Amino acid sequence: MTERLVIARLGSRGDGVAETRDGAVYVPYALPGEVVEAEPVPGHPDRRHLLRVIEPSAERIAPICRHFGTCGGCAVQHWTRARYQEWKRALVIEALAHAGIDAPVDALIDAHGEGRRRATFHARRGTRDILEVGFAAARAHQVVGIDACPVLSPALDGAIAAAWAIAEELKPTRKPLDIAVTATEGGLDVDVRGSGPLDAVRTANLARLAEHHRLARLTRHGELIALRAAPTLTIGRARVTLPPAAFLQATAAGEQELARLVLGHAGGAEHIADLFCGVGPFALRLAERARVWAADNDGAAIAALRSEERRVGKECRSRWSPYH
């Protein structure tokens, strides 16, 4: 049964929201003010599948990616930038109000920069046992195979091809894979998860594959398979060798902008605690002018940060201490 719906607003996850006699229903890829035709999603009474847009919004634009609408990686590529920024700012205002916090919220800062410097590709066998490598479809376990992604940084060029090659090599294991790729100064750093134990032959094949694709490092669940160059990242005056699948801000521009704000708000403080410090994107910069106590429950991140602290510790007057 199809329905004709009027979209009132955009929800927190980017879905269009229509008010009905039975309450709010959510329609992915619909925009405020649009009239759409949709059908129910089995098992989800408050969700609808968009069939067509009857009356499009004047703010609807062409998405930049040909996979948009099937790949679940992006939700609002079809909205004008100005309206998108207003919506994102409103989400922050609403979250603060819900927590009882009265604080000013500035305009959104565009920190896309050159694009995402890290991505996790999924490899799964789809219909007819065909291997797909890409991102998950919206709210589904199905993987949408991709050969390009316009939101990735040029520094991730070759990442999709490498992920496909790794998935093909491990296809006989019949395991679902997650392939995390990070752009570093030494090249692409790749960590594969989900393969199960590998024999010597398959490990050697992966090492040759890593060399062919000029990967800086290839690991499996953090265990080294091949190393061609140190996967490093410069943070302030420091250069950190990243642990496998390290957490970083999605874009380099985002990290730099957040660090600028943190440094500005820290003022002239001489003693600073950085909780959930990770590999030190804030702590290492702060340590250039203050004594820092940095903590995290990620032992690999702390080890990477401590290694750099030993090299520049006297200059930075920094101190690290993990918690578990």
Side-chain angles (χ1 to χ4, degrees), residues 297-319:
N297 61 358
D298 186 334
I302 286 292
L305 197 150
R306 275 181 164 169
S307 176
E308 186 60 17
E309 188 272 339
R310 283 193 289 270
R311 189 175 73 83
V312 298
K314 290 183 179 179
E315 177 185 1
C316 292
R317 297 190 301 115
S318 56
R319 181 175 62 198

Side-chain angles (χ1 to χ4, degrees), residues 101-139:
I101 299 173
D102 182 14
V105 178
D106 291 339
L108 189 77
I109 298 172
D110 185 349
H112 177 75
E114 293 187 342
R116 291 185 63 94
R117 59 182 174 179
R118 60 178 178 84
T120 298
F121 303 101
H122 308 299
R124 304 286 190 273
R125 291 173 180 266
T127 57
R128 299 182 182 178
D129 206 34
I130 297 174
L131 180 68
E132 297 286 5
V133 179
F135 299 119
R139 297 173 186 82

Side-chain angles (χ1 to χ4, degrees), residues 185 232-241 255 279-281 283-288 304-305 307-313 315-316 318 320:
E185 291 159 355
T232 57
L233 183 69
T234 298
I235 300 175
R237 295 201 298 257
R239 177 172 289 179
V240 177
T241 299
E255 177 189 306
V279 297
L284 284 168
R285 290 177 169 95
L286 290 166
E288 294 176 11
L305 197 150
S307 176
E308 186 60 17
E309 188 272 339
R310 283 193 289 270
R311 189 175 73 83
V312 298
E315 177 185 1
C316 292
S318 56
W320 317 111

Side-chain angles (χ1 to χ4, degrees), residues 117 233 235 248-249 251-259 281-282 285:
R117 59 182 174 179
L233 183 69
I235 300 175
L248 300 172
Q249 293 299 325
T251 69
E255 177 189 306
Q256 292 163 5
E257 189 62 35
L258 287 171
F282 302 146
R285 290 177 169 95

